Amino acid sequence: MSAQATPDPYSDPLAFGQRLQILRTRRGVTRETLGGLMGRSGSWVKALETGRLKTPKLDVILRLAEVLRVRDLSDLTGDQAVSVPLFAGPGHARLGAVRDAVDTLMLVPDREAPPTSHLAARLARAWAARHASPNHREVVGALLPELIRDAQLAVRQAGAAPDRRAAQAVLSEVYSLAQFFIAYQPDAALLWRVAERGMVAAQESEDPHTVGVAAWLSAQAHRDAGPAHFDAADSVTSAVLSYLTPLLSDADDDVIAITGALTFEAGYTAARRAATGTAWRYWDEARAMAARLPSEYFHPVTSFGRAVMGAHAVTVAVELRQGGESVRQAAASDTLSIPSRPRWARHRIEEARGYQMDGQPDVALDTLARAHEAAPETIQYNGYAKTIILEEAESKSAARRRRASALAVKVGLLAA
């Protein structure tokens, strides 16, 4: 290595402070800026980097890693034994209770399970509450532990085969609701346990719609795990689409909708692969399925329906890194007809990504502010939104820095 070469923070041995300095420098962040983002001073950052301060506690390390957009905790600590994917956000206060409910085995039932019809009604109310609430994780997190335990109990106590299949269908959808809560939380292992259990219960139910929902969430989990998992995502969508497609001639709206949602998922993964033609082809096919549904139809799990196709077009364009096209699709989309606060907020985040790609950072910040008004918990746990806010908090424009910093305080990225 030449004297001018930049050290590699991923090669051992390097002290924590050295890794911090290298990663901060590569991000182009000054000590003063990093200190401000941490609610500290530039001299505090210098003391960490030079070793005058000892390695901080885990919560501070996690915060540093998030601010610097480090993808894995070991990249900052140098300890491969503590490899933890980041940008999952801080754990929700109710995560522990949900995890305990998932992990508890109902081997010796201590009470009688509620009827499956009762569980299904509770589940429907939980989905409705999620779509209506700005703080949807808080609402869902409060309902999930008992729903999970009761659904597990219903499967355990089911007698006849039809009753057991019905109970498995409800349990699978409860796991689907749980997956929405666990997504972007700092527990990847829990996410995979829930996704896999949901898929197993769905297959046991032998219900096409239930299988489709579990596959939709499984494909998302694989896709969001990174490029190494794209093939697995495609395998799931392809297999279940092959299973559902022959049923469409006599299918009800829910089966048509989940088939359309899975078709779009195939396009979403194609966009992540930068396969432009394939991505838009799947979007066209999904739009054709949406057109078969009533105009007011809205799938409670996937949000699929006519209203969401404009939002899906924005997502495809953003994933293909087509800034101008994403802005054009955003202008054409009818966001007011999306009857879900978290889904509407997620769409706004996708729009903001497009505006930033298109060189319109002020519009991107305005769009994120509207997303925060609609559903604060959606933006709080979204890595794309936080990345935009942190980048604009370092803008050369003083006015933009102030606006981004104010939004960062609201989201919880900066201390007030």
Side-chain angles (χ1 to χ4, degrees):
M1 178 185 294
S2 69
Q4 289 76 32
T6 302
D8 184 354
Y10 309 109
S11 63
D12 291 323
L14 286 176
F16 173 84
Q18 292 174 297
R19 289 176 175 274
L20 175 62
Q21 182 175 6
I22 294 165
L23 292 167
R24 175 185 61 77
T25 302
R26 286 186 173 183
R27 272 280 295 118
V29 179
T30 66
R31 284 172 172 162
E32 289 70 24
T33 297
L34 179 57
L37 291 170
M38 293 294 297
R40 305 293 184 94
S41 64
S43 60
W44 174 80
V45 176
K46 182 177 180 180
L48 279 180
E49 292 180 347
T50 58
R52 286 193 294 110
L53 284 179
K54 64 181 182 180
T55 301
K57 294 182 179 180
L58 180 59
D59 60 334
V60 178
I61 294 175
L62 288 169
R63 182 83 175 103
L64 283 166
E66 183 177 30
V67 168
L68 291 172
R69 300 203 297 283
V70 177
R71 294 299 177 183
D72 194 283
L73 191 58
S74 64
D75 295 345
L76 181 56
T77 65
D79 185 355
Q80 297 301 317
V82 291
S83 178
V84 179
L86 296 176
F87 261 110
H92 194 279
R94 296 190 182 274
L95 178 61
V98 173
R99 183 192 297 114
D100 289 344
V102 171
D103 290 343
T104 299
L105 295 176
M106 306 295 291
L107 297 177
V108 182
D110 57 357
R111 54 192 167 83
E112 185 176 352
T116 302
S117 58
H118 176 69
L119 287 172
R122 284 166 57 189
L123 187 54
R125 289 195 296 271
W127 283 116
R130 177 188 181 273
H131 290 304
S133 174
N135 295 308
H136 46 94
R137 275 191 172 82
E138 177 63 26
V139 170
V140 170
L143 298 172
L144 270 173
E146 283 305 307
L147 261 176
I148 292 169
R149 293 188 184 97
D150 286 348
Q152 290 174 336
L153 201 60
V155 170
R156 183 75 178 171
Q157 296 181 357
D163 295 337
R164 186 171 183 82
R165 287 195 294 270
Q168 291 281 19
V170 171
L171 177 60
S172 180
E173 192 171 332
V174 169
Y175 282 138
S176 295
L177 181 63
Q179 194 167 334
F180 273 86
F181 174 86
I182 297 165
Y184 306 113
Q185 297 292 303
D187 196 336
L190 179 63
L191 178 70
W192 283 110
R193 283 201 299 282
V194 167
E196 289 169 359
R197 290 184 189 182
M199 193 72 241
V200 170
Q203 292 178 79
E204 291 291 329
S205 77
E206 300 181 10
D207 176 67
H209 175 256
T210 304
V211 171
V213 169
W216 181 79
L217 282 162
S218 178
Q220 288 195 345
H222 283 294
R223 185 194 66 232
D224 290 344
H229 296 261
F230 288 172
D231 286 347
D234 285 338
S235 179
V236 170
T237 52
S238 176
V240 180
L241 284 172
S242 294
Y243 163 65
L244 292 174
T245 301
L247 308 176
L248 290 179
S249 59
D250 299 318
D252 61 19
D253 289 343
D254 287 344
V255 172
I256 294 171
I258 194 59
T259 306
L262 277 165
T263 301
F264 173 72
E265 280 305 307
Y268 198 149
T269 305
R272 284 274 175 95
R273 293 182 185 273
T276 303
T278 303
W280 285 115
R281 175 173 60 80
Y282 277 123
W283 180 84
D284 279 331
E285 291 177 7
R287 181 178 57 174
M289 291 187 191
R292 295 177 57 179
L293 298 167
S295 59
E296 72 282 358
Y297 179 90
F298 180 79
H299 191 268
V301 181
T302 68
S303 300
F304 190 80
R306 295 187 190 184
V308 83
M309 290 312 301
H312 282 338
V314 174
T315 296
V316 170
V318 167
E319 293 295 340
L320 290 170
R321 313 297 296 175
Q322 298 174 343
E325 178 64 16
S326 65
V327 169
R328 189 183 73 79
Q329 293 291 349
S333 63
D334 180 11
T335 59
L336 295 178
S337 60
I338 298 177
S340 169
R341 292 178 74 122
R343 184 62 185 87
W344 188 90
R346 171 64 189 273
H347 172 56
R348 287 301 190 197
I349 293 169
E350 296 292 276
E351 285 186 325
R353 293 175 67 195
Y355 285 123
Q356 191 186 45
M357 287 180 196
D358 197 46
Q360 302 184 55
D362 290 308
V363 182
L365 287 175
D366 286 341
T367 306
L368 289 178
R370 281 183 282 170
H372 184 267
E373 290 173 4
E377 285 190 345
T378 296
I379 192 170
Q380 181 182 355
Y381 292 97
N382 186 282
Y384 293 120
K386 292 189 287 186
T387 297
I388 293 171
I389 293 169
L390 289 173
E391 287 183 353
E392 298 310 326
E394 302 167 13
S395 169
K396 294 180 180 180
S397 165
R400 191 178 304 140
R401 284 199 307 271
R402 287 193 296 270
R403 295 174 59 217
S405 297
L407 185 54
V409 170
K410 290 181 180 180
V411 174
L413 291 172
L414 287 178

